[in-house]
Amino acid sequence: DGGITQSPKYLFRKEGQNVTLSCEQNLNHDAMYWYRQDPGQGLRLIYYSQIVNDFQKGDIAEGYSVSREKKESFPLTVTSAQKNPTAFYLCASSAAGVTYNSPLHFGNGTRLTVT
Amino acid sequence: KQEVTQIPAALSVPEGENLVLNCSFTDSAIYNLQWFRQDPGKGLTSLLLIQSSQREQTSGRLNASLDKSSGRSTLYIAASQPGDSATYLCAPYTGTASKLTFGTGTRLQVTL
């Protein structure tokens, strides 16, 4: 079945450590996105990529980094510079940019806890 | 800046009821609007996408309408079932930075 796989489901890290969240899709989608979800808030965009080797900052990119070396993969690194990293992280993809009326497909998320 | 409000924040109904979830947005210059469902601890599932030129979109027991000029969309769920229990989120797209703006959702519980 085609879909988006995020791993791990739960991740625990000590403060000051960098951590990388994995996102892989086999939908052959061009565009991929990372969102952060906090209780009582809407999803907020961290980074997005519309094509391999290119990505743009979203609303809350500070303290995060990404790469897009392959079409199917879009890993997110949460660095020690992110002041409040504990959150639920969601990866999504779409066949083309949202401009082209392509619905978003989401993975099942990674819950990151930093202590 | 686009702001999205979903009312009510939570809703509990008995099985079989028809119900309406509301979504309002401040910037009416949207390209499309998506409705999603989220189960606890899971990702989002796309339910319906309404293009700016459309007034309605239907999928099974779900019907979404869009009134762009007034900045409103509604999701109508017919003959609700316990399996419909989830959080429903709307997300209009205004073409800025290729991003959707998400509401905080309506948490729906359908009881037996």
Side-chain angles (χ1 to χ4, degrees), chain B residues 26-80:
Chain B
T26 55
D27 184 350
S28 61
I30 65 170
Y31 284 80
N32 59 54
L33 183 143
Q34 293 187 48
W35 280 94
F36 295 89
R37 167 189 173 134
Q38 185 175 29
D39 293 292
K42 301 286 189 181
L44 281 67
T45 300
S46 179
L47 297 173
L48 291 164
L49 183 152
I50 312 178
Q51 299 178 31
S52 61
S53 58
Q54 297 176 318
R55 302 266 314 172
E56 282 190 6
Q57 191 70 257
T58 298
S59 176
R61 294 183 294 108
L62 304 179
N63 175 276
S65 66
L66 176 64
D67 184 345
K68 213 175 82 162
S69 60
S70 66
R72 293 183 181 179
S73 178
T74 60
L75 179 66
Y76 176 82
I77 302 177
S80 58

Side-chain angles (χ1 to χ4, degrees), chain A residues 23-41:
Chain A
C23 177
E24 303 277 333
Q25 54 100 357
N26 61 5
L27 299 167
N28 199 34
H29 284 174
D30 286 316
M32 296 187 74
Y33 312 80
W34 274 105
Y35 286 90
R36 169 180 172 142
Q37 187 174 35
D38 295 282
Q41 297 191 41

Side-chain angles (χ1 to χ4, degrees), chain A:
Chain A
D1 286 338
I4 300 176
T5 301
Q6 289 189 244
S7 61
K9 185 173 181 179
Y10 298 98
L11 191 53
F12 298 89
R13 279 294 183 269
K14 294 289 187 184
E15 195 173 317
Q17 293 179 335
N18 293 353
V19 60
T20 297
L21 282 59
S22 171
C23 177
E24 303 277 333
Q25 54 100 357
N26 61 5
L27 299 167
N28 199 34
H29 284 174
D30 286 316
M32 296 187 74
Y33 312 80
W34 274 105
Y35 286 90
R36 169 180 172 142
Q37 187 174 35
D38 295 282
Q41 297 191 41
L43 275 70
R44 292 181 289 167
L45 182 67
I46 304 172
Y47 268 98
Y48 67 98
S49 167
Q50 293 187 305
I51 196 170
V52 173
N53 292 323
D54 188 47
F55 48 82
Q56 285 77 41
K57 293 181 180 180
D59 296 323
I60 55 166
E62 185 176 350
Y64 299 98
S65 66
V66 294
S67 63
R68 185 86 187 277
E69 297 177 1
K70 298 185 295 182
K71 186 176 184 178
E72 60 270 22
S73 179
F74 191 40
L76 173 74
T77 296
V78 184
T79 74
S80 57
Q82 168 49 232
K83 295 177 182 177
N84 187 18
T86 295
F88 189 49
Y89 291 88
L90 288 161
C91 178
S93 70
S94 62
V98 182
T99 309
Y100 297 97
N101 293 314
S102 301
L104 254 61
H105 297 256
F106 281 83
N108 276 328
T110 292
R111 187 166 299 280
L112 172 65
T113 302
V114 177
T115 57

